[in-house]
Amino acid sequence: MSTTRLSSLLPDLSPWRSSRDFRLLFFQGAVTFFTSFMAMIALPLQIKHLTDSPLAVGAMGAVELVPLVVFGLYGGALADAIDRRRMIMLSEAGLGVLALVLLANSLLPNPLLWPLYVVAAGVSALAGLQRPALDSMMARIVPHEQMTAAAALNALRYQIGAIAGPALAGLVVAYAGYPAAYGITLAGFVLSVILCTRLAPAPPSPDAERPSLRGIAEGARYAWSRPVLLGTYAVDLAAMFFAFPNTIFPFLADELDAVWALGLMYSAGAVGSLVLGMTSGWTSRVRRHGLFVVCGAAVWGLAIAATGWFTDIRVVLVCLAVAGAGDMLSGLGRATIWNQTIPEELRGRLAGIEVLSYSVGPQLGQVRAGTVAGWTGTRSAFWSGGLMCVAAVAALSMALPKLVTYDADTDEDALRRRAEKGRAEKDRAAKESDPFPTPTS
């Protein structure tokens, strides 16, 4: 392969070079993801250790669901009404407090079960508040034409944490115990808050409305009126509900007599995503991002189904890696469409709906996977969910054809947002070059 072809596959670093705040958020997110994965692995493992029940582990999804729905929608309204940097920083501080609770509970002679569910609900609430602010920040700090590249870099950052976090968490829990895992999580959130203080303020627009149910409903009406947006939400929700089996990985590892590979099972999907991310340069040149959403979700479902069919742990890990690559491809399409088409004044509220689309699905998916595993067996929970995912994606593609035909160069909303952002960037450049403009009458 020539040097030119190789360089065209490498990640597009344009957002990194053009935006200081993007670089800060990149590092902040890397720290948060890495340390959060320590707790994300340790928490279900500790519940399994205390109960030895797949239903008890799957119940985490039920506990997290209501706070995520309520605070995700309210967090979207808040992100349109107050400084987004402040929201991110306070949420990170709150997550640090919850990590401290987990640490204190793990140090008890007989750790309690109920605080684990309370913390899971609290993490879900804070994530619902924070994610709209984080997601809506991207469109403000990154140029319009660099949205796909920014989404790829953010996903790459996430996958690095998703690989290192679970792998290290398994070792830390096995050799140092739960207190060490939760202590590392706490330290990560402290560092994250420090990085957030260096971000530039992100105040709301001067005519921003106070958070209200009416404002949330306005955002929901806008999403419902846009078949492309509606399709991104529906496809992701279906894919995660039917084919998100992470909470029953410990039981699959037991059945395959491969407990040693549990950490690898959690990180295999991230490996597949990382491979795609490291060769994502070509995605910046693609304009049909709806195809990313549909095809990626279909690959995810097929790979999860295959995970339940095979008994060789090596093949299972490959299937999970392929699933991760499909999920990342779908995620790149969703993030690009969202950032290219949503108006600035609705971005926070639509980000709140986005949080529901890619978070409620996994929470419900945990409940589905744990329930099916308890009724029919662990492996059937994998293959049945994967097949239903593929069927749902096919049905949604036929019901919402505008998602499949979306083109960033011809879509009316994308063209409108590009023009608006271009005008805003020109106005900002003019103010910076002339700090004392002549008043007009």
Side-chain angles (χ1 to χ4, degrees), residues 164-385:
L168 182 58
L171 294 175
V172 170
V173 172
Y175 294 103
Y178 297 110
Y182 297 139
I184 293 172
T185 302
L186 175 59
F189 283 122
V190 171
L191 179 56
S192 176
V193 170
I194 294 173
L195 290 172
C196 286
T197 61
R198 301 190 61 193
L199 289 169
S205 59
D207 56 347
E209 300 179 4
R210 296 182 62 182
S212 65
L213 291 176
R214 184 178 62 83
I216 294 173
E218 180 185 359
R221 284 194 297 271
Y222 180 88
W224 187 260
S225 69
R226 298 300 193 272
V228 174
L229 286 179
L230 191 61
T232 63
Y233 303 144
V235 167
D236 188 48
L237 185 63
M240 294 297 103
F241 172 71
F242 289 118
F244 189 80
N246 290 28
T247 55
I248 56 174
F249 278 164
F251 300 93
L252 181 63
D254 287 342
E255 288 193 15
L256 298 179
D257 194 24
V259 177
W260 58 269
L262 179 59
L264 296 176
M265 292 173 67
Y266 277 110
S267 60
V271 172
S273 298
L274 180 62
V275 172
L276 182 63
M278 294 298 294
T279 57
S280 63
W282 61 275
T283 62
S284 295
R285 299 185 292 276
V286 175
R287 319 309 295 167
R288 298 284 300 278
H289 303 110
L291 288 176
F292 280 7
V293 177
V294 172
C295 295
V299 170
W300 161 266
L302 286 173
I304 292 298
T307 300
W309 294 334
F310 294 105
T311 57
D312 188 323
I313 185 61
R314 294 167 296 183
V315 180
V316 166
L317 292 174
V318 171
C319 290
L320 291 173
V322 173
D327 185 45
M328 179 173 177
L329 185 64
S330 185
L332 288 181
R334 293 193 307 272
T336 302
I337 290 172
W338 293 340
N339 285 324
Q340 285 183 342
T341 64
I342 297 174
E344 173 64 26
E345 65 272 13
L346 292 174
R347 197 169 295 280
R349 279 164 283 180
L350 270 293
I353 296 175
E354 293 157 17
V355 168
L356 301 187
S357 77
Y358 60 68
S359 298
V360 170
Q363 308 311 322
L364 292 175
Q366 292 183 81
V367 178
R368 187 212 68 86
T371 302
V372 174
W375 286 348
T376 65
T378 301
R379 294 179 63 194
S380 67
F382 279 84
W383 64 258
S384 63

Side-chain angles (χ1 to χ4, degrees), residues 124-135:
S124 184
L126 288 172
L129 286 173
Q130 182 192 70
R131 286 308 297 265
L134 272 172
D135 291 347

